[in-house]
Amino acid sequence: MHSHLNRRQVIASACAVALGGTAALARASDYPSKPIELIVPVAAGGGTDIVGRAFAEVGKKYLPQQPMIVVNKPGASGAIGTAELINAKPDGYKIGIVICELTIIPNLGITKYTAADLRPVARLNADPSAITVRADAPWQTIEEFIADARKRKEPLSIANAGVGSIWHMAAAAFSEKLSLPVNHVPFLGAAPAAVALLGGHVDALAVSPGEVAQHVAAGKMRTLAVMADQRVGGVFEKVPTLKERGVDLSIGVWRGLAVPKATPPDVVATLGTVAAKTADDAAFREVLAKANLGWAYADAAAFQQQIDKDRAFYAELVPRLGLQK
């Protein structure tokens, strides 16, 4: 720690100040003095990448002296990029987007790191899960879907975005809550899962509204319910929440900004201010809206509460589902 400065350092600092030079005191008010690397722990092109790139692009208005450079580090449901962020030098020059899988995968034995190894700065986006079927499916309502699932000999199949993904958890929590026999079918993401539904290979999807919006708008799919506290607008405004139908389940994805645990408080505060201004910027909101991603800014304290709640939820759910490695 810097509290034990030796005599020579104290004198050198005093001289620097006396000479009017502040360079010797690398103060946080000089932050950032070089480009910032923003780690996105997934491949380019998906929702998380869109959020990360929009943040870097719009955020430079509020950190005008230095750019934010997006670096995609995909793999292991976000664990690879997140591990790099956790182990980065805590100086504010390597920051990252964190995703809700961070609260899921430690329970699966995929990573030894947990959300406690990071410092959250702000939540930038959140989207609920939704149960979606093909437009020509026999179920018009979520009640019909549940009733049919209960009486069938063969379980209904629900596609997800991979074992341990948020959409796998959503479908599993749904089937568990209602004691429904369900066959969970993993795909390498929400897009291939949607293709499988369109092709009639599965009965339903448990991905976000945004990931099926174009198919719903085109009349190829029908969303039966969203797993949220409130209804989603746009093409989904008539779709009920599960809570409206007496099923107490809210589950979904979130994406936010985080830094290594030991990052200095003033650097964290600077980034927090940048995140708040960026999230409030019309240009940022427009990118999210275009991609059907939910705007859901939360400051560090509120984001931490969400993370803690999800960690507790998945720590109970994953063992009940018998998914640990």
Side-chain angles (χ1 to χ4, degrees):
M1 296 298 289
H2 299 297
S3 51
H4 305 295
L5 291 172
N6 66 29
R7 194 153 171 258
R8 191 180 294 160
Q9 286 171 302
V10 171
I11 291 165
S13 297
C15 290
V17 172
L19 294 167
T22 52
L25 301 175
R27 295 181 329 221
S29 57
D30 300 331
Y31 172 82
S33 58
K34 60 182 182 180
I36 296 168
E37 188 177 309
L38 178 73
I39 297 173
V40 172
V42 298
T48 303
D49 185 58
I50 290 168
V51 172
R53 286 175 190 279
F55 177 74
E57 180 61 33
V58 179
K60 68 185 180 195
K61 282 188 205 174
Y62 307 107
L63 272 179
Q65 62 274 49
Q66 294 294 337
M68 267 186 269
I69 298 154
V70 175
V71 182
N72 295 87
K73 293 280 171 81
S77 298
I80 290 170
T82 303
E84 183 172 326
L85 177 63
I86 287 165
N87 292 314
K89 194 173 169 189
D91 58 5
Y93 291 103
K94 193 175 269 194
I95 64 178
I97 298 293
V98 286
I99 55 178
C100 58
E101 275 80 359
L102 179 60
T103 61
I104 300 168
I105 58 176
N107 303 295
L108 294 165
I110 292 173
T111 173
K112 65 181 190 293
Y113 297 118
T114 73
D117 297 311
L118 284 166
R119 181 177 296 280
V121 177
R123 188 182 66 195
L124 298 168
N125 150 260
D127 291 292
S129 180
I131 299 290
T132 300
V133 297
R134 275 176 23 146
D136 60 4
W139 319 284
Q140 297 298 321
T141 64
I142 192 69
E143 286 87 349
E144 288 177 8
F145 181 82
I146 292 165
D148 195 13
R150 285 209 169 112
K151 64 172 194 262
R152 280 177 168 241
K153 284 197 181 78
E154 290 293 310
L156 284 171
S157 57
I158 302 185
N160 65 56
V163 175
S165 68
I166 179 62
W167 305 137
H168 179 199
M169 295 297 109
F174 172 72
S175 60
E176 195 217 25
K177 189 95 178 166
L178 291 156
S179 305
L180 297 180
V182 164
N183 182 17
H184 298 285
V185 187
F187 289 89
L188 290 172
V195 170
L197 179 64
L198 287 172
H201 305 296
V202 292
D203 295 308
L205 281 180
V207 301
S208 71
E211 285 158 327
V212 293
Q214 66 191 75
H215 303 300
V216 170
K220 292 178 179 171
M221 290 184 186
R222 175 166 58 247
T223 297
L224 300 178
V226 291
M227 302 185 193
D229 293 338
Q230 295 100 24
R231 288 190 181 200
V232 178
V235 293
F236 301 96
E237 61 193 357
K238 292 196 171 80
V239 178
T241 65
L242 281 180
K243 289 191 172 183
E244 286 175 52
R245 295 295 188 257
V247 181
D248 185 16
L249 184 63
S250 281
I251 189 167
V253 68
W254 48 253
R255 302 166 174 110
L257 185 69
V259 293
K261 191 83 175 171
T263 304
D266 34 13
V267 171
V268 176
T270 297
L271 288 168
T273 302
V274 171
K277 289 177 176 172
T278 301
D280 206 34
D281 193 299
F284 179 79
R285 288 173 176 242
E286 201 176 299
V287 172
L288 264 58
K290 236 181 214 159
N292 293 293
L293 293 163
W295 184 89
Y297 168 78
D299 67 14
F303 189 20
Q304 184 69 64
Q305 282 183 326
Q306 162 112 59
I307 290 168
D308 292 343
K309 186 178 160 200
D310 283 2
R311 285 183 73 192
F313 179 78
Y314 294 117
E316 285 189 7
L317 180 66
V318 172
R320 283 209 309 269
L321 300 174
L323 293 171
Q324 300 100 316
K325 288 204 166 169

